[in-house]
């Protein structure tokens, strides 16, 4: 944008507002000015301003620079863009506004389905050692969580939930328009109740009657031994909170196991390079190499006459089998014969 904006004014918050207040203000303003909701001709531009303001004020470093200089990274503050999927843990813009405004809901059944919180997805990377032993990892993510002020119900003290007088409890309003093809009838979520069919006479001031607010949370996730890339863990109830106290969605954690500098994994088997000299290959040797488990040493017996690339199997020293009751795959060592480029005369004679 060409000119520097007062982002506190854009969101309608004081300059000393905390992050929770800023998030609530952003959520409220975004719902008001989004082009899919507002009929104002400048709705798109106003929405961009709200987006810019939050991208700066939600970042402590950017906010500090903006407060001091009115700029971020040497340019007019507000060059950033808020990724709504980051704020709401993977939800896209269509999902977010469907959640708040009813989306394509067309009846009581659709509204009941919509009241449940959405599932959320997050990826998590672990090392091969962590995948072998199992571990507990702490993850941080943003989600819509139950409002502590109203307990998730969306109602202030003494409030009541009543049938919406605009749609008479259906959550849907029908309009009829004339066209060259005759009368065209269309249905859309009720603007008065957001498609819910009910209204709250005194909504909770902290969540605006939603029963949920944006929060940043930390969660300990237990990773089972033997986990592999692509496996998913479903944590019940830790997704998006439901609308006005409805059931919460689940958090789906997709695992990725990082590449290892020594081992290569193939299902439950581990492959490792075993450098040996040409005399060890010719005469045979017993060697000890570190295993994947902590303080584990694996004894490998190299038979005489071993050729380059030969595989030597060690059963029970690979990766634990997921849910296998302690059983493990194989450790497979591939012989790499190191041939010296030059031999001293005595070595050549021998």
């Amino acid at each position: 944008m060409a000119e520097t904006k007062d982002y506190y004014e854009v969101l309608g918050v004081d300059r000393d507002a905390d992050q929770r207040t800023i998030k609530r203000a952003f959520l409220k303003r975004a719902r008001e000015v989004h082009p899919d909701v507002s009929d104002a001709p400048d709705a798109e531009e106003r929405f961009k301003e709200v987006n810019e303001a939050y991208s700066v004020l939600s970042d402590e470093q950017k906010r500090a620079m903006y407060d001091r200089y009115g700029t971020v990274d040497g340019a007019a503050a507000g060059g950033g863009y808020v990724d709504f999927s980051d704020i709401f843990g993977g939800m896209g813009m269509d999902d977010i506004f469907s959640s708040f405004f009813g989306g394509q809901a067309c009846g009581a059944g659709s509204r009941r389905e919509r009241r449940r919180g959405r599932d959320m997805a997050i990826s998590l990377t672990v090392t091969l050692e962590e995948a072998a032993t199992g571990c507990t990892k702490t993850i941080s993510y943003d989600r819509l969580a139950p409002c502590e002020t109203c307990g998730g119900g969306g109602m202030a003290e003494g409030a009541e939930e009543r049938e919406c007088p605009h749609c008479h409890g259906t959550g849907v309003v029908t309009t009829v328009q004339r066209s060259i093809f005759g009368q065209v009838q269309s249905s859309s979520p009720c603007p008065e109740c957001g498609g819910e069919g009910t209204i709250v006479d005194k909504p909770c001031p902290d969540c605006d009657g939603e029963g949920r607010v944006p929060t940043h949370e930390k969660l300990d996730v237990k990773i089972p031994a033997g986990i592999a890339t692509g496996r998913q863990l479903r944590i019940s109830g830790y997704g998006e909170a439901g609308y006005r106290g409805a059931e919460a969605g689940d958090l789906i954690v997709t695992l990725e196991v990082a590449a290892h500098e020594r081992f290569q994994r193939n299902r439950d088997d581990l492959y490792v390079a075993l450098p040996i000299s040409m005399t060890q290959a010719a005469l045979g040797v017993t060697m000890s190499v570190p295993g994947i488990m902590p303080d584990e040493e694996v004894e490998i017996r190299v038979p005489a006459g071993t050729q380059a690339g030969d595989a030597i199997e060690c059963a029970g020293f690979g990766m634990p089998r997921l849910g296998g009751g302690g059983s493990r795959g194989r450790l497979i060592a591939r012989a790499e014969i190191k041939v010296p480029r030059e031999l001293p005369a005595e070595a050549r004679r021998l």
Side-chain angles (χ1 to χ4, degrees):
M1 301 180 73
E3 60 181 26
T4 302
K5 302 291 184 180
D6 184 339
Y7 292 122
Y8 293 98
E9 183 178 342
V10 170
L11 294 184
V13 297
D14 296 331
R15 300 189 74 85
D16 60 352
D18 58 21
Q19 285 299 318
R20 182 183 180 188
T21 301
I22 289 173
K23 277 190 177 182
R24 284 165 40 200
F26 163 70
L27 186 60
K28 181 178 180 180
R29 293 291 293 142
R31 293 204 305 266
E32 292 173 351
V33 302
H34 189 268
D36 291 345
V37 178
S38 174
D39 295 329
D42 61 344
E44 184 174 354
E45 190 66 22
R46 292 172 63 192
F47 183 70
K48 288 181 179 179
E49 287 185 1
V50 172
N51 202 27
E52 285 184 0
Y54 186 76
S55 72
V56 173
L57 299 186
S58 63
D59 186 299
E60 293 294 349
Q61 292 183 346
K62 289 182 181 180
R63 182 180 179 182
M65 183 174 289
Y66 172 73
D67 288 343
R68 186 170 184 179
Y69 302 110
T71 61
V72 176
D73 295 332
Y81 184 80
V82 177
D83 185 347
F84 281 81
S85 65
D86 288 342
I87 298 173
F88 299 106
M91 292 174 61
M93 178 58 71
D94 293 339
D95 290 339
I96 294 169
F97 280 88
S98 173
S99 175
F100 284 117
F101 299 109
Q104 301 300 316
C106 295
S110 299
R111 292 199 307 280
R112 282 194 294 271
E113 180 180 352
R114 184 178 67 80
R115 291 174 68 97
R116 179 187 184 274
R118 298 176 186 272
D119 292 341
M120 296 170 59
I122 191 171
S123 59
L124 177 62
T125 300
V126 297
T127 65
L128 187 62
E129 287 86 353
E130 290 172 332
T133 60
C135 62
T136 298
K137 303 285 282 188
T138 301
I139 60 174
S140 299
Y141 67 110
D142 296 298
R143 72 161 180 152
L144 291 173
C147 174
E148 295 182 358
T149 303
C150 63
M155 297 187 290
E157 186 176 356
E160 293 183 2
E161 188 173 12
R162 304 173 181 175
E163 179 183 287
C164 175
H166 190 69
C167 64
H168 304 291
T170 65
V172 178
V173 292
T174 302
T175 57
V176 179
Q177 295 180 328
R178 294 184 177 275
S179 71
I180 59 175
F181 302 105
Q183 290 186 333
V184 177
Q185 180 175 298
S186 61
S187 298
S188 61
C190 173
E192 192 72 23
C193 64
E196 284 301 308
T198 60
I199 59 172
V200 175
D201 55 3
K202 289 192 296 181
C204 170
D206 283 351
C207 64
D208 295 328
E210 297 283 344
R212 51 193 182 179
V213 294
T215 60
H216 183 77
E217 301 203 6
K218 290 185 178 181
L219 178 66
D220 290 337
V221 179
K222 187 175 182 180
I223 310 300
I227 200 78
T229 293
R231 287 280 187 170
Q232 292 184 329
L233 304 176
R234 180 179 288 269
I235 306 175
S236 179
Y238 282 89
E240 176 194 281
Y243 185 87
R244 292 185 190 168
E247 181 184 4
D250 298 337
L251 178 65
I252 302 171
V253 182
T254 302
L255 273 296
E256 179 178 351
V257 181
H260 196 273
E261 59 181 5
R262 288 197 307 118
F263 295 108
Q264 288 186 331
R265 181 180 184 179
N266 181 14
R267 297 186 179 178
D268 297 326
D269 294 336
L270 292 176
Y271 290 79
V272 65
L274 183 67
I276 57 176
S277 68
M278 62 182 185
T279 53
Q280 290 171 328
L283 301 175
V285 67
T286 298
M287 305 182 67
S288 181
V289 300
I292 190 62
M293 296 297 186
D295 303 321
E296 181 178 64
E297 293 291 327
V298 184
E299 189 176 88
I300 301 177
R301 295 181 180 179
V302 181
T306 293
Q307 303 297 306
D310 281 358
I312 305 167
E313 297 184 7
C314 299
F317 288 97
M319 291 292 290
R321 293 187 172 93
L322 189 63
S327 64
R328 295 171 63 181
R330 302 170 296 171
L331 176 65
I332 302 174
R334 292 196 179 277
E336 290 186 353
I337 301 177
K338 302 298 183 182
V339 179
R341 293 184 179 277
E342 297 181 3
L343 280 177
E346 179 64 15
R348 184 179 295 276
R349 186 187 68 80
L350 292 172

